[in-house]
Amino acid sequence: MNPATEEFFRTVAPTPPVELTPLLARMRRAQQEWRDVPVATRAECCRQFVDAFRAAKEPIALDITRQMGKPLRQARHEVDTMLDRAATMIQLAPTALADDVLPEKAGFRRFIRHEPLGIVLNIPAWNYPLLIAVNVVVPALLAGNAVLLKHARLTPLCGDAFADAFRKASLPADLLASIHVDHATIHKLIETRAIDFISFTGSVEGGRQVYQAASAQLLDMGLELGGKDPALVCEDANFSFAVENLVDGAFYNAGQSCCAIERIYVMRPLFDRFVDAYVAEVEKYKIGHPEDDATTIGPLAQRKAVDFMEFQVKDAVGRGARVVTGGHRAAGRGYYFEPTVLVNVDHSMSVMREESFGPIIGIMPVDTEDEAVRLMNDSPYGLTASIWSEDPARAEALAQRTAAGTVYANRCDYLDPALAWVGIKDSGHGCTLSHLGYLYLTRPKSFHLRTTTAT
């Protein structure tokens, strides 16, 4: 269903369960051959995939927009960013996957090899349907695995786009498959140990369910479960730069990002000025049809998300908050909600505690760095956080005290594929991207080889 129009535009047939067992058998055989293919050859297949995907950029971007509502120009940008991320992981692969050779020891040869796991089940989320999927698909294949891709039910065409592009590359058949199945089928695959590793991106509750099923089978998995990411604006911040970027960080993709800014703390001397400037910038945003290039806020992906935005506003106002701008669902068809700014907020309110995943932000004054750090860390989540200060030493010291997998200075809502993408607390565990991401898609195998038996 297109969330901008509430009309169905495409039908996708489910994968018949009877096809899964022979598919997985073929994938297992294909992976046993692929694991012995040189990394350079695997990399060339992935480069061909990048070229094939780039050639289909426009229809893929349009499919993203019509599936989950992202403005078309943002969907095009997602394609470009995904291709850059894939290129980075291709570049890192030879070094990351090379043997770790130990210091020379007379009469012995010792090294650690990074061997593939087998079949990797990748379950990406719908909000960045290409970027989240590529975090696993490309490095898993580069590491010698096969990949079973089960995309989110809202964005099934994105899984098929990966499969189509790899078919046009030189990737051998049955190393990557896109399937459309329900949760019960996924749990059956886990219970029968038909796969060897699971990567899941989604809600905390969804992650717990998959993790519980995987743990019963002693299957390893990676979890990325979202966040409630804070920003701290210090007195010495570049004021205009901070305002502009923190609006973008909160409202890009209608706030539907695991690393979106969801709460802002401002040193009290700047607070009133910051709120005024922030609201003025927010009110420049234009709600509209996502295929219109003038649109900066498209619909939310699901009706229930609009309902949750209304709940958070009502909860906050009932506890003393004030709506400065927005606060309502937009009139007409589609799952639209006005970009919303709240003040007089505190941590008794859902909007400052529960992941919003929508175009809403609470802004709160703080008096000291200690208070700011305490509030930033007062969350069950820990994905990213950002510090806004022109003093690099101050920003780094505050970052050191902040509980998050990634802490930015003068930046937010951004993912550098050369850095490890990790979360703490309820934001998940494991790691994707960077050279460290390959450690989770391989297992170490130690070689302890005596080279001579002469005495």
Side-chain angles (χ1 to χ4, degrees), residues 45 58 239:
C45 290
E58 197 60 23
F239 184 84

Side-chain angles (χ1 to χ4, degrees), residues 394-411:
R394 181 186 190 186
E396 185 174 346
L398 285 164
Q400 178 63 34
R401 298 171 62 193
T402 302
T406 298
V407 185
Y408 308 95
N410 304 315
R411 182 167 230 181

Side-chain angles (χ1 to χ4, degrees), residues 338-405:
E338 297 171 344
T340 299
V341 178
L342 295 163
V343 295
N344 298 344
V345 292
D346 60 44
H347 280 216
S348 72
M349 303 170 184
S350 169
V351 75
M352 300 298 282
R353 297 288 298 172
E354 296 183 74
E355 185 175 33
S356 300
F357 225 66
I360 186 171
I361 191 77
I363 309 178
M364 186 174 175
V366 291
D367 292 302
T368 66
E369 289 184 357
D370 286 345
E371 181 188 14
V373 170
R374 177 180 63 79
L375 289 168
M376 286 195 292
N377 291 345
D378 180 29
S379 173
Y381 295 99
L383 189 59
T384 79
S386 68
I387 312 295
W388 299 79
S389 168
E390 289 286 82
D391 182 343
R394 181 186 190 186
E396 185 174 346
L398 285 164
Q400 178 63 34
R401 298 171 62 193
T402 302

